[in-house]
Amino acid sequence: MINYVLLYLIVIVAIAVLFKIAVVVPEKESYIVERLGKYANTLEAGFHLLVPFIDRVAYKQTLKEEALDVDPQVCITADNVQVQVDGILYLRIFDPVKASYGIENYRYAVAQLAKTTMRSQIGKMELDKTFCGREGINDSIVRALDEASDNWGIKVTRYEIRDITPSHTILEAMESQMRAEREKRANILSSEGKQQARINISLGKKQEAINKALGEKERKINIAEGKARAIEITSAATAEGLQLVAEALATPGGETAMKIRLAENYIARFKELMKNNRISIYPKDVAAVASLAAILKKAHDGGAK
């Protein structure tokens, strides 16, 4: 009976020792082993056995990238404006031994260094530039942290500013300034619109005047050309008529015919004049009338023959 109890005790002790010396390291983690209080080796992912009662796992470090929340802090810009800034820090361990023995708490140290670096960078910039210069601030913080954390086995991959919040008074002043800027831009746009409208109206009137002048010019040219054409046609007709009269006078009896025609016209006009007036009018040269009558009689007799 005593032998069975002893056997059970041996088995229990063996299992306890096995659990004590057997170590399974998960993926993307590293265990730091100390032997008698001194660094011995680093255990990577997998199954490992330790020397019982001599070796122990002193530190367990993760090799994954971590996101560290940096608490909000008050910073003063170059133009003496207080702003509250907070951000997120991304880091990973590349040397588990340095991360274990190089510093007591690397997360706290990196966060504090990020805060001081952020205050320093914000203090070099004016308030307006801090909003549009986040990328430059982030790069400066990452470079500063990288130089300091190299001895800690830490690699700072990036830093992102999450919020930059000015005080309530500054926010009201900024809002007033933005409102004034918007009103200024609106007034400028309105005045430019009115100016452009006036320019368009004046250009339209100018073009209208030009078109009217061109139309009037074209009309006068057409009238002048029409009159010139009429004069040309009249002159041509007159010349042609005179040529025909001259040809007629040159023929035998042409002169007598012309005299008869003139006498007939003269008598017709005189007769019309006597008909339309109550006063009796006689020609001054009665002999001329008699000669006209003789010409007509002669012509009539000649026609009868």
Side-chain angles (χ1 to χ4, degrees):
M1 185 66 180
I2 295 176
N3 293 333
Y4 285 113
V5 173
L6 184 59
L7 181 61
Y8 287 146
L9 291 175
I10 292 173
V11 171
I12 292 172
V13 171
I15 293 174
V17 171
L18 181 62
F19 275 103
K20 187 70 175 178
I21 65 174
V23 177
V24 177
V25 181
E27 186 65 28
K28 285 292 182 179
E29 290 190 10
S30 292
Y31 288 1
I32 304 300
V33 177
E34 291 182 352
R35 180 168 296 170
L36 299 177
K38 186 178 180 181
Y39 168 74
N41 63 335
T42 302
L43 303 181
E44 305 295 337
F47 179 79
H48 303 273
L49 292 176
L50 302 179
V51 178
F53 307 109
I54 297 178
D55 293 343
R56 73 179 186 91
V57 176
Y59 299 98
K60 296 180 180 180
Q61 304 290 1
T62 178
L63 303 180
K64 300 177 183 179
E65 186 173 9
E66 300 180 56
L68 190 62
D69 191 8
V70 180
D71 297 332
Q73 58 181 324
V74 176
C75 303
I76 300 177
T77 62
D79 49 352
N80 295 324
V81 178
Q82 289 187 356
V83 292
Q84 192 175 43
V85 185
D86 65 334
I88 300 177
L89 182 66
Y90 296 88
L91 55 88
R92 62 180 178 83
I93 297 175
F94 69 89
D95 190 338
V97 177
K98 289 183 178 180
S100 301
Y101 298 104
I103 193 169
E104 179 67 26
N105 187 341
Y106 68 86
R107 292 184 181 87
Y108 176 79
V110 170
Q112 295 301 313
L113 184 58
K115 290 180 180 180
T116 56
T117 306
M118 184 189 301
R119 282 195 294 268
S120 176
Q121 293 298 322
I122 294 294
K124 299 176 183 178
M125 305 173 66
E126 295 181 354
L127 178 62
D128 294 338
K129 295 182 180 180
T130 57
F131 296 105
C132 59
R134 292 191 180 192
E135 186 175 353
I137 298 174
N138 295 338
D139 293 340
S140 299
I141 294 175
V142 169
R143 286 195 299 268
L145 294 178
D146 236 6
E147 294 176 0
S149 62
D150 187 64
N151 294 328
W152 305 338
I154 306 299
K155 173 66 177 177
V156 178
T157 56
R158 63 185 183 275
Y159 181 86
E160 297 292 338
I161 294 178
R162 185 161 52 191
D163 289 317
I164 299 178
T165 307
S167 63
H168 183 68
T169 305
I170 299 301
L171 286 175
E172 290 181 351
M174 292 175 62
E175 185 177 356
S176 300
Q177 182 181 2
M178 288 187 292
R179 188 184 305 112
E181 287 292 332
R182 285 194 295 268
E183 292 177 355
K184 176 183 176 182
R185 287 195 296 267
N187 292 332
I188 291 174
L189 292 176
S190 177
S191 62
E192 289 179 351
K194 292 179 180 178
Q195 179 183 5
Q196 190 62 40
R198 288 194 296 268
I199 292 173
N200 293 336
I201 292 173
S202 63
L203 290 177
K205 290 182 178 179
K206 176 183 176 182
Q207 190 62 41
E208 182 182 1
I210 292 173
N211 293 336
K212 286 182 177 179
L214 291 175
E216 184 67 18
K217 177 183 176 182
E218 191 68 26
R219 186 183 69 82
K220 290 181 178 179
I221 290 174
N222 292 334
I223 293 174
E225 289 179 351
K227 290 181 178 180
R229 183 61 179 165
I231 293 171
E232 182 181 354
I233 294 172
T234 303
S235 300
T238 303
E240 187 177 354
L242 291 175
Q243 185 178 0
L244 292 176
V245 171
E247 291 177 356
L249 290 174
T251 59
E255 185 177 355
T256 303
M258 183 190 68
K259 291 179 179 180
I260 292 170
R261 184 63 177 167
L262 290 174
E264 290 177 349
N265 288 337
Y266 182 82
I267 293 172
R269 296 289 293 173
F270 185 74
K271 183 179 179 180
E272 183 179 355
L273 184 62
M274 292 295 293
K275 185 187 297 184
N276 295 332
N277 291 278
R278 296 179 180 179
I279 303 173
S280 298
I281 300 175
Y282 297 96
K284 180 179 180 181
D285 193 357
V286 181
V289 177
S291 64
L292 289 175
I295 292 171
L296 290 175
K297 183 176 184 299
K298 182 180 179 181
H300 183 269
D301 291 341
K305 289 178 181 180

